[in-house]
Amino acid sequence: MTVLTSDARPVEAEAARRRSIAVISHPDAGKSTLTEALALHARAIDEAGAVHGKGNRAGVVSDWLEMEQKRGISITSAALQFAYGDVVINLLDTPGHADFSEDTYRVLTAVDAAVMLLDSAKGLEPQTLKLFEVCRRRGVPVITFVNKWDRPGREALELCDELEERINLRPTPLSWPIGEAGRFLGLLDRASGEVRTYKRAPGGASIAEEQLLTPQAAADALGDDHTEAVESVQLLEELDRDSFLAGTTTPLLFGAALANIGVKQLLDAVVELAPAPAARSDVDGGARDVDQSFSGFVFKMQAGMDPNHRDHVAFIRVCSGRFERGMVVTHERTGRPFATKYALSVFGRERSTVEDAYPGDVVGLVNASTLAVGDTVFDAAGPHVRFPPMPVFAPEHFAAARSADPGRSKQFRKGISQLEQEGVVQVLVSEARGDGNPILGAVGPLQFEVATFRMEHEFSAPIRTEQLGLSLAREAASEHIDTIAAYPGVEVVRRGDGTPLVLLRDVWHARAFERAHPDVPLIPLVASTV
């Protein structure tokens, strides 16, 4: 049989080979570690790192930003692409910290499925719940992986009950642990009845050795523990792919990402169950089929990936057609042509030139200074398309920023502008303060720390920030600005898109204003467009 090369395969066949997924979880559930383990099992890397890079073990590939490595947390989204058999997996690792929800939510617009990672001892945690609800609203199906089973934790059936009771998601186990959390004896494959036992590699940097036991051999070797696992898994429903795609059930797997246990089973589940890229809705409610001419949208802007050049990369999710490096595309927002000479496939901080890409792939366009998060690009020779905008969030924290060195005002303005373009912070400008002293808006205060760090280290423009005693933003009509500005304690600013906003101390402050001026509406900001 002749195997078609990439060039010979039609777009539909290439799209069918793609799986685009994100990993979502609460902080410290092991998200970056799992990302590293998945890449290791796909042979995309030779050795898995650890988040803190302890001992002789390297740091994780996906946490490349200096601040991430120092803090041991994921701050940026990382795009990793690797082949697993004949399937191409685009894996987007996202920040778990709640302060970076905006970045995570944007990533969820660019994937077709998600892996929800649970800590075996903690189960469903607040940020996990929040991100799961985004997946549910967007119709993104979820595969669940219970991590850290090699440490003490809760009972497996208790975790299953929590999924069903708290988020109405019925678990359908593909694998089941033998032995309670902290006494991990092996994994039962529900479909075959076979059991895999593991010998952990020293330091967990390489794939754990495994031994495959037949059902009878496992029963003989593991006795009552095996019997209990078989009886427990039979209490739960079997896999139904239709209900998984509909978001009512979740394939459930167990393992220990740091020890690289259970990760291959998760990869197999992604390949078999996660949907391939399909037609994507445009802003008018129509559908852009995968076999139409090239189109895509920007879901992430990232600078500082190459410290030698200070370039910035626009991450584009390909939605339809074949992308070819060097092709001229139309920037939908401006109507102008855009050349794609510098197109990259990005693996953490490592980058390589990409010649072509297909629906589901993520392409990094370098020095795309005219592009912004949410922009659509499409083949200049094809029909016009505009995809829905990115989620826009209501900021809850505000800080006035100014340059620590007045002599570096040019670098200050450039840096602030780029951070706004990337969506690191919202930049709000008032007439009273001027654009040399903007107000930074954020979902969480850690965003200010990232902005301060990057301004100093990337733009050589250290800044001073002053936290403002404000926590609420409301939209207002331009004709009411003078009335609002005269009210005590408010800040009137404009967002980058020109929208006038009113910043207030809290909801009580807003209600007091509304009582004083019932004819002046303060419009709540939509938390997101998802």
Side-chain angles (χ1 to χ4, degrees), residues 4 35 62 71 85 115 152 190 196 228 249 268 290 331 342 347 361 375 409 412 468 485 493 503 514 522 528:
L4 291 174
T35 298
S62 57
R71 295 286 295 268
V115 173
R190 182 175 189 173
R196 286 177 170 81
E228 182 179 349
T249 66
D268 292 338
V290 295
H331 181 197
Y342 301 106
F347 187 92
D361 287 344
D375 283 355
S409 60
F412 171 79
L468 303 178
V493 297
L503 310 185
E514 290 167 347
L522 298 180
S528 74

Side-chain angles (χ1 to χ4, degrees), residues 289-509:
D289 292 327
V290 295
D291 61 347
Q292 290 187 258
S293 57
F294 166 75
S295 67
F297 64 88
V298 180
F299 68 90
K300 171 72 179 173
M301 296 289 296
Q302 184 64 58
M305 299 186 74
D306 185 346
N308 295 320
H309 300 290
R310 301 299 185 198
D311 57 6
H312 53 281
V313 179
F315 288 92
I316 293 179
R317 152 74 189 233
V318 179
C319 296
S320 66
R322 178 185 177 188
F323 170 87
E324 298 179 72
R325 185 172 69 88
M327 71 186 301
V328 177
V329 300
T330 296
H331 181 197
E332 191 279 333
R333 178 166 53 84
T334 63
R336 295 175 179 174
F338 182 87
T340 62
K341 180 180 179 182
Y342 301 106
L344 305 174
S345 176
V346 182
F347 187 92
R349 198 170 197 164
E350 300 299 319
R351 50 173 71 184
S352 58
T353 300
V354 61
E355 297 297 335
D356 55 18
Y358 294 88
D361 287 344
V362 173
V363 176
L365 297 183
V366 181
N367 290 332
S369 58
T370 60
L371 299 182
V373 170
D375 283 355
T376 296
V377 293
F378 57 90
D379 188 344
H384 181 280
V385 64
R386 179 160 65 100
F387 294 111
M390 286 289 106
V392 177
F393 294 80
E396 301 174 9
H397 302 268
F398 303 91
R402 60 181 175 83
S403 175
D405 180 359
R408 303 195 67 79
S409 60
K410 183 178 180 180
Q411 292 87 341
F412 171 79
R413 293 174 191 273
K414 179 181 178 181
I416 290 293
S417 175
Q418 186 158 310
L419 294 183
E420 179 183 27
Q421 183 184 26
E422 293 178 33
V424 175
V425 287
Q426 293 185 34
V427 179
L428 312 172
V429 177
S430 70
E431 291 185 6
R433 295 175 182 267
D435 59 3
N437 188 20
I439 294 175
L440 308 182
V443 173
L446 194 53
Q447 289 176 259
F448 297 139
E449 188 175 336
V450 174
T452 300
F453 182 90
R454 291 188 58 189
M455 285 293 291
E456 179 176 355
H457 290 82
E458 291 181 26
F459 302 100
S460 300
I463 63 173
R464 300 283 184 265
T465 58
E466 175 193 354
Q467 295 284 337
L468 303 178
L470 306 168
S471 65
L472 192 68
R474 291 286 188 264
E475 188 174 337
S478 296
E479 61 264 27
H480 298 309
I481 292 301
D482 290 342
T483 300
I484 296 170
Y487 193 78
V490 304
E491 285 262 8
V492 177
V493 297
R494 288 191 181 272
R495 207 164 53 191
D497 60 3
T499 302
L501 299 181
V502 181
L503 310 185
L504 305 109
R505 288 192 300 272
D506 50 34
V507 67
W508 308 110
H509 192 193

Side-chain angles (χ1 to χ4, degrees), residues 91-163:
L91 173 58
L92 304 184
D93 178 41
T94 60
H97 200 289
D99 286 8
F100 303 104
S101 296
E102 284 186 279
D103 201 19
T104 301
Y105 284 31
R106 292 177 191 131
V107 167
L108 291 177
T109 68
V111 299
D112 302 310
V115 173
M116 181 168 67
L117 190 61
L118 304 183
D119 186 312
S120 65
K122 299 174 182 176
L124 287 170
E125 298 178 85
Q127 183 68 358
T128 315
L129 290 168
K130 190 175 182 182
L131 296 172
F132 170 75
E133 287 304 324
V134 176
C135 291
R136 172 165 278 171
R137 291 199 300 272
R138 294 197 59 82
V140 177
V142 171
I143 298 171
T144 301
F145 185 80
V146 179
N147 192 25
K148 303 182 182 180
W149 203 258
D150 54 344
R151 305 180 189 181
R154 295 159 61 181
E155 293 184 3
L157 286 174
E158 180 186 352
L159 292 168
C160 292
D161 288 341
E162 183 178 35
L163 287 171

